[in-house]
PDB file of all heavy atoms in Angstrom:
ATOM      1  N   SER R   1      89.270 -16.298-124.896  1.00 97.00           N
ATOM      2  CA  SER R   1      89.072 -17.713-124.543  1.00 97.00           C
ATOM      3  C   SER R   1      87.974 -17.900-123.513  1.00 97.00           C
ATOM      4  O   SER R   1      87.930 -18.904-122.809  1.00 97.00           O
ATOM      5  CB  SER R   1      90.373 -18.343-124.024  1.00 97.00           C
ATOM      6  OG  SER R   1      91.380 -18.296-125.008  1.00 97.00           O
ATOM      7  N   SER R   2      87.066 -16.933-123.414  1.00 97.00           N
ATOM      8  CA  SER R   2      85.951 -17.058-122.484  1.00 97.00           C
ATOM      9  C   SER R   2      84.973 -18.108-122.983  1.00 97.00           C
ATOM     10  O   SER R   2      84.467 -18.015-124.111  1.00 97.00           O
ATOM     11  CB  SER R   2      85.228 -15.717-122.332  1.00 97.00           C
ATOM     12  OG  SER R   2      84.091 -15.854-121.512  1.00 97.00           O
ATOM     13  N   PRO R   3      84.645 -19.129-122.185  1.00 97.00           N
ATOM     14  CA  PRO R   3      83.725 -20.167-122.643  1.00 97.00           C
ATOM     15  C   PRO R   3      82.260 -19.727-122.594  1.00 97.00           C
ATOM     16  O   PRO R   3      81.405 -20.373-123.193  1.00 97.00           O
ATOM     17  CB  PRO R   3      83.979 -21.313-121.650  1.00 97.00           C
ATOM     18  CG  PRO R   3      84.413 -20.623-120.396  1.00 97.00           C
ATOM     19  CD  PRO R   3      85.195 -19.419-120.834  1.00 97.00           C
ATOM     20  N   ASN R   4      81.972 -18.659-121.872  1.00 97.00           N
ATOM     21  CA  ASN R   4      80.593 -18.224-121.680  1.00 97.00           C
ATOM     22  C   ASN R   4      80.316 -16.958-122.476  1.00 97.00           C
ATOM     23  O   ASN R   4      80.957 -15.932-122.267  1.00 97.00           O
ATOM     24  CB  ASN R   4      80.322 -17.946-120.184  1.00 97.00           C
ATOM     25  CG  ASN R   4      80.570 -19.169-119.325  1.00 97.00           C
ATOM     26  OD1 ASN R   4      80.170 -20.269-119.671  1.00 97.00           O
ATOM     27  ND2 ASN R   4      81.249 -18.976-118.202  1.00 97.00           N
ATOM     28  N   LYS R   5      79.362 -17.048-123.376  1.00 97.00           N
ATOM     29  CA  LYS R   5      78.980 -15.889-124.184  1.00 97.00           C
ATOM     30  C   LYS R   5      77.999 -15.020-123.411  1.00 97.00           C
ATOM     31  O   LYS R   5      77.106 -15.527-122.729  1.00 97.00           O
ATOM     32  CB  LYS R   5      78.360 -16.349-125.497  1.00 97.00           C
ATOM     33  CG  LYS R   5      79.313 -17.173-126.362  1.00 97.00           C
ATOM     34  CD  LYS R   5      78.603 -17.772-127.561  1.00 97.00           C
ATOM     35  CE  LYS R   5      79.572 -18.630-128.379  1.00 97.00           C
ATOM     36  NZ  LYS R   5      78.898 -19.287-129.523  1.00 97.00           N
ATOM     37  N   ILE R   6      78.181 -13.723-123.515  1.00 98.00           N
ATOM     38  CA  ILE R   6      77.262 -12.802-122.843  1.00 98.00           C
ATOM     39  C   ILE R   6      75.917 -12.778-123.563  1.00 98.00           C
ATOM     40  O   ILE R   6      74.883 -12.616-122.980  1.00 98.00           O
ATOM     41  CB  ILE R   6      77.857 -11.377-122.783  1.00 98.00           C
ATOM     42  CG1 ILE R   6      79.207 -11.384-122.077  1.00 98.00           C
ATOM     43  CG2 ILE R   6      76.878 -10.432-122.078  1.00 98.00           C
ATOM     44  CD1 ILE R   6      79.912 -10.044-122.107  1.00 98.00           C
ATOM     45  N   GLN R   7      75.940 -12.949-124.886  1.00 97.00           N
ATOM     46  CA  GLN R   7      74.785 -12.757-125.767  1.00 97.00           C
ATOM     47  C   GLN R   7      74.366 -11.286-125.757  1.00 97.00           C
ATOM     48  O   GLN R   7      73.222 -10.927-125.617  1.00 97.00           O
ATOM     49  CB  GLN R   7      73.627 -13.668-125.385  1.00 97.00           C
ATOM     50  CG  GLN R   7      73.942 -15.153-125.595  1.00 97.00           C
ATOM     51  CD  GLN R   7      72.813 -16.062-125.199  1.00 97.00           C
ATOM     52  OE1 GLN R   7      72.566 -16.250-124.014  1.00 97.00           O
ATOM     53  NE2 GLN R   7      72.104 -16.614-126.169  1.00 97.00           N
ATOM     54  N   MET R   8      75.377 -10.434-125.914  1.00 98.00           N
ATOM     55  CA  MET R   8      75.174  -8.993-125.942  1.00 98.00           C
ATOM     56  C   MET R   8      75.166  -8.502-127.377  1.00 98.00           C
ATOM     57  O   MET R   8      76.025  -8.857-128.177  1.00 98.00           O
ATOM     58  CB  MET R   8      76.274  -8.276-125.172  1.00 98.00           C
ATOM     59  CG  MET R   8      76.036  -6.782-124.972  1.00 98.00           C
ATOM     60  SD  MET R   8      74.776  -6.466-123.715  1.00 98.00           S
ATOM     61  CE  MET R   8      75.746  -6.676-122.216  1.00 98.00           C
ATOM     62  N   GLU R   9      74.162  -7.706-127.694  1.00 97.00           N
ATOM     63  CA  GLU R   9      74.090  -7.036-128.990  1.00 97.00           C
ATOM     64  C   GLU R   9      74.553  -5.593-128.794  1.00 97.00           C
ATOM     65  O   GLU R   9      74.104  -4.913-127.866  1.00 97.00           O
ATOM     66  CB  GLU R   9      72.666  -7.053-129.525  1.00 97.00           C
ATOM     67  CG  GLU R   9      72.476  -6.342-130.856  1.00 97.00           C
ATOM     68  CD  GLU R   9      71.042  -6.422-131.351  1.00 97.00           C
ATOM     69  OE1 GLU R   9      70.443  -7.532-131.257  1.00 97.00           O
ATOM     70  OE2 GLU R   9      70.505  -5.381-131.790  1.00 97.00           O
ATOM     71  N   VAL R  10      75.455  -5.147-129.638  1.00 98.00           N
ATOM     72  CA  VAL R  10      76.046  -3.811-129.522  1.00 98.00           C
ATOM     73  C   VAL R  10      75.701  -3.017-130.782  1.00 98.00           C
ATOM     74  O   VAL R  10      76.102  -3.398-131.891  1.00 98.00           O
ATOM     75  CB  VAL R  10      77.567  -3.889-129.336  1.00 98.00           C
ATOM     76  CG1 VAL R  10      78.141  -2.489-129.136  1.00 98.00           C
ATOM     77  CG2 VAL R  10      77.933  -4.792-128.165  1.00 98.00           C
ATOM     78  N   GLN R  11      74.948  -1.956-130.620  1.00 97.00           N
ATOM     79  CA  GLN R  11      74.615  -1.060-131.724  1.00 97.00           C
ATOM     80  C   GLN R  11      75.425   0.225-131.579  1.00 97.00           C
ATOM     81  O   GLN R  11      75.430   0.841-130.522  1.00 97.00           O
ATOM     82  CB  GLN R  11      73.114  -0.743-131.721  1.00 97.00           C
ATOM     83  CG  GLN R  11      72.228  -1.968-131.856  1.00 97.00           C
ATOM     84  CD  GLN R  11      70.744  -1.615-131.864  1.00 97.00           C
ATOM     85  OE1 GLN R  11      70.371  -0.429-131.914  1.00 97.00           O
ATOM     86  NE2 GLN R  11      69.886  -2.626-131.801  1.00 97.00           N
ATOM     87  N   VAL R  12      76.128   0.595-132.642  1.00 97.00           N
ATOM     88  CA  VAL R  12      77.047   1.729-132.584  1.00 97.00           C
ATOM     89  C   VAL R  12      76.664   2.778-133.615  1.00 97.00           C
ATOM     90  O   VAL R  12      76.386   2.454-134.769  1.00 97.00           O
ATOM     91  CB  VAL R  12      78.505   1.295-132.830  1.00 97.00           C
ATOM     92  CG1 VAL R  12      79.460   2.431-132.470  1.00 97.00           C
ATOM     93  CG2 VAL R  12      78.855   0.026-132.068  1.00 97.00           C
ATOM     94  N   GLN R  13      76.647   4.020-133.193  1.00 97.00           N
ATOM     95  CA  GLN R  13      76.562   5.152-134.108  1.00 97.00           C
ATOM     96  C   GLN R  13      77.803   6.001-133.926  1.00 97.00           C
ATOM     97  O   GLN R  13      78.050   6.541-132.838  1.00 97.00           O
ATOM     98  CB  GLN R  13      75.303   5.989-133.848  1.00 97.00           C
ATOM     99  CG  GLN R  13      74.034   5.400-134.420  1.00 97.00           C
ATOM    100  CD  GLN R  13      72.825   6.274-134.191  1.00 97.00           C
ATOM    101  OE1 GLN R  13      72.331   6.377-133.079  1.00 97.00           O
ATOM    102  NE2 GLN R  13      72.339   6.910-135.234  1.00 97.00           N
ATOM    103  N   ALA R  14      78.622   6.080-134.971  1.00 98.00           N
ATOM    104  CA  ALA R  14      79.783   6.966-134.981  1.00 98.00           C
ATOM    105  C   ALA R  14      79.382   8.225-135.759  1.00 98.00           C
ATOM    106  O   ALA R  14      78.724   8.131-136.796  1.00 98.00           O
ATOM    107  CB  ALA R  14      80.982   6.287-135.628  1.00 98.00           C
ATOM    108  N   PHE R  15      79.798   9.388-135.267  1.00 98.00           N
ATOM    109  CA  PHE R  15      79.413  10.618-135.961  1.00 98.00           C
ATOM    110  C   PHE R  15      80.458  11.687-135.752  1.00 98.00           C
ATOM    111  O   PHE R  15      81.294  11.604-134.839  1.00 98.00           O
ATOM    112  CB  PHE R  15      78.021  11.097-135.506  1.00 98.00           C
ATOM    113  CG  PHE R  15      77.852  11.297-134.027  1.00 98.00           C
ATOM    114  CD1 PHE R  15      77.867  12.564-133.466  1.00 98.00           C
ATOM    115  CD2 PHE R  15      77.641  10.209-133.177  1.00 98.00           C
ATOM    116  CE1 PHE R  15      77.681  12.761-132.104  1.00 98.00           C
ATOM    117  CE2 PHE R  15      77.455  10.399-131.815  1.00 98.00           C
ATOM    118  CZ  PHE R  15      77.486  11.668-131.277  1.00 98.00           C
ATOM    119  N   ALA R  16      80.427  12.703-136.612  1.00 98.00           N
ATOM    120  CA  ALA R  16      81.401  13.780-136.562  1.00 98.00           C
ATOM    121  C   ALA R  16      80.820  15.019-137.238  1.00 98.00           C
ATOM    122  O   ALA R  16      79.850  14.945-137.991  1.00 98.00           O
ATOM    123  CB  ALA R  16      82.711  13.370-137.250  1.00 98.00           C
ATOM    124  N   TYR R  17      81.463  16.162-136.935  1.00 98.00           N
ATOM    125  CA  TYR R  17      81.011  17.457-137.435  1.00 98.00           C
ATOM    126  C   TYR R  17      82.141  18.196-138.125  1.00 98.00           C
ATOM    127  O   TYR R  17      83.288  18.147-137.677  1.00 98.00           O
ATOM    128  CB  TYR R  17      80.510  18.337-136.280  1.00 98.00           C
ATOM    129  CG  TYR R  17      79.361  17.755-135.481  1.00 98.00           C
ATOM    130  CD1 TYR R  17      79.611  16.866-134.445  1.00 98.00           C
ATOM    131  CD2 TYR R  17      78.052  18.105-135.749  1.00 98.00           C
ATOM    132  CE1 TYR R  17      78.566  16.333-133.688  1.00 98.00           C
ATOM    133  CE2 TYR R  17      76.996  17.594-135.005  1.00 98.00           C
ATOM    134  CZ  TYR R  17      77.265  16.696-133.973  1.00 98.00           C
ATOM    135  OH  TYR R  17      76.244  16.182-133.228  1.00 98.00           O
ATOM    136  N   GLN R  18      81.810  18.901-139.204  1.00 97.00           N
ATOM    137  CA  GLN R  18      82.738  19.842-139.839  1.00 97.00           C
ATOM    138  C   GLN R  18      82.502  21.219-139.226  1.00 97.00           C
ATOM    139  O   GLN R  18      81.424  21.787-139.358  1.00 97.00           O
ATOM    140  CB  GLN R  18      82.477  19.913-141.346  1.00 97.00           C
ATOM    141  CG  GLN R  18      83.078  18.792-142.158  1.00 97.00           C
ATOM    142  CD  GLN R  18      82.817  18.999-143.654  1.00 97.00           C
ATOM    143  OE1 GLN R  18      81.729  19.389-144.056  1.00 97.00           O
ATOM    144  NE2 GLN R  18      83.824  18.754-144.461  1.00 97.00           N
ATOM    145  N   THR R  19      83.514  21.736-138.530  1.00 97.00           N
ATOM    146  CA  THR R  19      83.363  23.017-137.857  1.00 97.00           C
ATOM    147  C   THR R  19      84.649  23.830-138.018  1.00 97.00           C
ATOM    148  O   THR R  19      85.635  23.367-138.593  1.00 97.00           O
ATOM    149  CB  THR R  19      83.089  22.828-136.348  1.00 97.00           C
ATOM    150  OG1 THR R  19      84.264  22.273-135.740  1.00 97.00           O
ATOM    151  CG2 THR R  19      81.919  21.900-136.112  1.00 97.00           C
ATOM    152  N   ASN R  20      84.616  25.043-137.494  1.00 97.00           N
ATOM    153  CA  ASN R  20      85.793  25.908-137.498  1.00 97.00           C
ATOM    154  C   ASN R  20      86.467  25.960-136.132  1.00 97.00           C
ATOM    155  O   ASN R  20      87.315  26.824-135.889  1.00 97.00           O
ATOM    156  CB  ASN R  20      85.406  27.328-137.939  1.00 97.00           C
ATOM    157  CG  ASN R  20      84.947  27.357-139.375  1.00 97.00           C
ATOM    158  OD1 ASN R  20      85.518  26.693-140.232  1.00 97.00           O
ATOM    159  ND2 ASN R  20      83.890  28.133-139.641  1.00 97.00           N
ATOM    160  N   ASP R  21      86.091  25.053-135.217  1.00 97.00           N
ATOM    161  CA  ASP R  21      86.688  25.036-133.881  1.00 97.00           C
ATOM    162  C   ASP R  21      87.250  23.646-133.592  1.00 97.00           C
ATOM    163  O   ASP R  21      87.412  22.831-134.495  1.00 97.00           O
ATOM    164  CB  ASP R  21      85.662  25.474-132.835  1.00 97.00           C
ATOM    165  CG  ASP R  21      84.396  24.604-132.863  1.00 97.00           C
ATOM    166  OD1 ASP R  21      84.437  23.476-133.408  1.00 97.00           O
ATOM    167  OD2 ASP R  21      83.357  25.053-132.323  1.00 97.00           O
ATOM    168  N   ASP R  22      87.514  23.355-132.312  1.00 96.00           N
ATOM    169  CA  ASP R  22      88.150  22.090-131.937  1.00 96.00           C
ATOM    170  C   ASP R  22      87.308  20.867-132.244  1.00 96.00           C
ATOM    171  O   ASP R  22      87.837  19.752-132.374  1.00 96.00           O
ATOM    172  CB  ASP R  22      88.500  22.100-130.455  1.00 96.00           C
ATOM    173  CG  ASP R  22      89.654  23.035-130.134  1.00 96.00           C
ATOM    174  OD1 ASP R  22      90.427  23.350-131.058  1.00 96.00           O
ATOM    175  OD2 ASP R  22      89.800  23.456-128.963  1.00 96.00           O
ATOM    176  N   ILE R  23      85.994  21.027-132.358  1.00 97.00           N
ATOM    177  CA  ILE R  23      85.135  19.887-132.673  1.00 97.00           C
ATOM    178  C   ILE R  23      85.491  19.304-134.038  1.00 97.00           C
ATOM    179  O   ILE R  23      85.237  18.127-134.300  1.00 97.00           O
ATOM    180  CB  ILE R  23      83.656  20.313-132.606  1.00 97.00           C
ATOM    181  CG1 ILE R  23      83.285  20.680-131.156  1.00 97.00           C
ATOM    182  CG2 ILE R  23      82.721  19.215-133.114  1.00 97.00           C
ATOM    183  CD1 ILE R  23      81.885  21.213-130.989  1.00 97.00           C
ATOM    184  N   ASN R  24      86.121  20.104-134.884  1.00 98.00           N
ATOM    185  CA  ASN R  24      86.551  19.611-136.194  1.00 98.00           C
ATOM    186  C   ASN R  24      87.628  18.535-136.082  1.00 98.00           C
ATOM    187  O   ASN R  24      87.871  17.789-137.034  1.00 98.00           O
ATOM    188  CB  ASN R  24      87.086  20.779-137.035  1.00 98.00           C
ATOM    189  CG  ASN R  24      87.150  20.456-138.508  1.00 98.00           C
ATOM    190  OD1 ASN R  24      86.169  20.004-139.098  1.00 98.00           O
ATOM    191  ND2 ASN R  24      88.299  20.668-139.104  1.00 98.00           N
ATOM    192  N   SER R  25      88.269  18.431-134.920  1.00 97.00           N
ATOM    193  CA  SER R  25      89.301  17.403-134.697  1.00 97.00           C
ATOM    194  C   SER R  25      88.813  16.342-133.711  1.00 97.00           C
ATOM    195  O   SER R  25      89.619  15.711-133.019  1.00 97.00           O
ATOM    196  CB  SER R  25      90.592  18.046-134.189  1.00 97.00           C
ATOM    197  OG  SER R  25      91.182  18.846-135.186  1.00 97.00           O
ATOM    198  N   MET R  26      87.483  16.152-133.633  1.00 97.00           N
ATOM    199  CA  MET R  26      86.903  15.158-132.733  1.00 97.00           C
ATOM    200  C   MET R  26      86.048  14.170-133.516  1.00 97.00           C
ATOM    201  O   MET R  26      85.488  14.506-134.565  1.00 97.00           O
ATOM    202  CB  MET R  26      86.008  15.827-131.691  1.00 97.00           C
ATOM    203  CG  MET R  26      86.703  16.799-130.768  1.00 97.00           C
ATOM    204  SD  MET R  26      85.512  17.514-129.595  1.00 97.00           S
ATOM    205  CE  MET R  26      86.535  18.733-128.799  1.00 97.00           C
ATOM    206  N   THR R  27      85.953  12.953-132.998  1.00 98.00           N
ATOM    207  CA  THR R  27      84.969  11.986-133.465  1.00 98.00           C
ATOM    208  C   THR R  27      84.208  11.466-132.243  1.00 98.00           C
ATOM    209  O   THR R  27      84.698  11.511-131.127  1.00 98.00           O
ATOM    210  CB  THR R  27      85.613  10.805-134.199  1.00 98.00           C
ATOM    211  OG1 THR R  27      86.499  10.119-133.318  1.00 98.00           O
ATOM    212  CG2 THR R  27      86.396  11.298-135.424  1.00 98.00           C
ATOM    213  N   PHE R  28      82.985  10.989-132.499  1.00 97.00           N
ATOM    214  CA  PHE R  28      82.096  10.564-131.417  1.00 97.00           C
ATOM    215  C   PHE R  28      81.547   9.170-131.713  1.00 97.00           C
ATOM    216  O   PHE R  28      81.332   8.819-132.879  1.00 97.00           O
ATOM    217  CB  PHE R  28      80.927  11.545-131.266  1.00 97.00           C
ATOM    218  CG  PHE R  28      81.348  12.959-131.011  1.00 97.00           C
ATOM    219  CD1 PHE R  28      81.681  13.813-132.057  1.00 97.00           C
ATOM    220  CD2 PHE R  28      81.409  13.450-129.709  1.00 97.00           C
ATOM    221  CE1 PHE R  28      82.081  15.127-131.820  1.00 97.00           C
ATOM    222  CE2 PHE R  28      81.801  14.767-129.471  1.00 97.00           C
ATOM    223  CZ  PHE R  28      82.135  15.593-130.526  1.00 97.00           C
ATOM    224  N   GLN R  29      81.279   8.422-130.655  1.00 96.00           N
ATOM    225  CA  GLN R  29      80.631   7.119-130.799  1.00 96.00           C
ATOM    226  C   GLN R  29      79.587   6.961-129.710  1.00 96.00           C
ATOM    227  O   GLN R  29      79.839   7.292-128.545  1.00 96.00           O
ATOM    228  CB  GLN R  29      81.653   5.968-130.696  1.00 96.00           C
ATOM    229  CG  GLN R  29      82.630   5.928-131.862  1.00 96.00           C
ATOM    230  CD  GLN R  29      83.605   4.769-131.773  1.00 96.00           C
ATOM    231  OE1 GLN R  29      83.573   3.994-130.826  1.00 96.00           O
ATOM    232  NE2 GLN R  29      84.462   4.652-132.759  1.00 96.00           N
ATOM    233  N   ARG R  30      78.421   6.456-130.084  1.00 95.00           N
ATOM    234  CA  ARG R  30      77.360   6.174-129.135  1.00 95.00           C
ATOM    235  C   ARG R  30      77.080   4.676-129.160  1.00 95.00           C
ATOM    236  O   ARG R  30      76.894   4.086-130.225  1.00 95.00           O
ATOM    237  CB  ARG R  30      76.080   6.929-129.509  1.00 95.00           C
ATOM    238  CG  ARG R  30      74.930   6.630-128.552  1.00 95.00           C
ATOM    239  CD  ARG R  30      73.606   7.184-129.069  1.00 95.00           C
ATOM    240  NE  ARG R  30      72.513   6.900-128.135  1.00 95.00           N
ATOM    241  CZ  ARG R  30      71.847   5.762-128.094  1.00 95.00           C
ATOM    242  NH1 ARG R  30      72.147   4.785-128.953  1.00 95.00           N
ATOM    243  NH2 ARG R  30      70.880   5.559-127.231  1.00 95.00           N
TER     244      ARG R  30
END
């Protein structure tokens, strides 16, 4: 219910890796 818009643009890159270690159970967002 905020009456004031920030006028913010948000660009997102989500990425992930197939690995044989713990990174295989992680996701990333920039």
Side-chain angles (χ1 to χ4, degrees):
S1 299
S2 175
N4 301 316
K5 299 172 182 177
I6 302 174
Q7 294 179 287
M8 188 75 80
E9 179 179 317
V10 184
Q11 300 180 9
V12 192
Q13 281 183 287
F15 55 103
Y17 301 84
Q18 280 182 318
T19 67
N20 294 320
D21 56 19
D22 288 339
I23 294 176
N24 198 51
S25 293
M26 298 180 187
T27 61
F28 302 84
Q29 293 182 359
R30 179 190 181 276

